[in-house]
Amino acid sequence: MKKIEAIIRKTKFDEVKEALTEAGIDFFSFWEMRGVGQARQERAYRGVVYDTSTIERIMISIIVRDKNVDKTAKAIMEAGRTGEIGDGKIFVEPIEQAYRIRTGETGNDALYIKGTEPD
């Protein structure tokens, strides 16, 4: 099992969510966050200068079976890419164990309801 964490543009969230659903990933956690990246610039709008060095992002966290890591990362990359600086990052970490509280299932069985897991 692996934990995939992705930091993406807030504007690309709906596209990434749809791509994950198409890849068979129908459960994940996410939250809004702000980050500081390489882009350091000020922008003016109607005479008011705004600092754009902190950027709104979405952090997505997903636990998947090892066999689903590549297709999950690919779905995020393809849907989240604009080709500009600030598209985000994807991190993959090992997960030692998972438990389903309701049934007591462990390991891979705890991740999906039987018969609904992605290929």
Side-chain angles (χ1 to χ4, degrees), residues 4 6 8 13-29 60-62 64 68 71-77 79 118:
I4 298 175
I8 62 169
F13 177 70
D14 288 334
E15 292 171 54
V16 170
K17 182 172 71 169
E18 186 176 314
L20 288 170
T21 300
E22 289 175 12
I25 306 299
D26 55 3
F27 179 83
F28 60 87
S29 301
I60 297 173
S61 180
I62 311 166
V64 297
N68 294 325
K71 77 174 181 177
T72 303
K74 183 178 178 183
I76 295 168
M77 281 191 289

Side-chain angles (χ1 to χ4, degrees), residues 77-92:
M77 281 191 289
E78 289 178 356
R81 180 178 292 131
T82 67
E84 299 176 10
I85 291 176
D87 278 349
K89 300 271 192 287
I90 299 173
F91 305 98
V92 180

Side-chain angles (χ1 to χ4, degrees), residues 22-110:
E22 289 175 12
I25 306 299
D26 55 3
F27 179 83
F28 60 87
S29 301
F30 71 94
W31 54 98
E32 294 183 17
M33 56 187 278
R34 294 186 67 81
V36 178
Q38 293 177 346
R40 303 251 196 280
Q41 58 185 329
E42 293 180 344
R43 295 194 179 184
Y45 178 73
R46 295 188 178 194
V48 178
V49 177
Y50 295 92
D51 178 16
T52 60
S53 62
T54 59
I55 305 164
E56 292 184 343
R57 297 284 183 240
I58 299 285
M59 169 77 82
I60 297 173
S61 180
I62 311 166
I63 309 298
V64 297
R65 293 179 177 169
D66 290 342
K67 67 182 183 178
N68 294 325
V69 171
D70 289 336
K71 77 174 181 177
T72 303
K74 183 178 178 183
I76 295 168
M77 281 191 289
E78 289 178 356
R81 180 178 292 131
T82 67
E84 299 176 10
I85 291 176
D87 278 349
K89 300 271 192 287
I90 299 173
F91 305 98
V92 180
E93 308 174 53
I95 296 294
E96 290 186 29
Q97 186 59 281
Y99 299 90
R100 184 186 307 266
I101 295 171
R102 178 176 54 87
T103 63
E105 293 170 294
T106 62
N108 286 333
D109 291 339

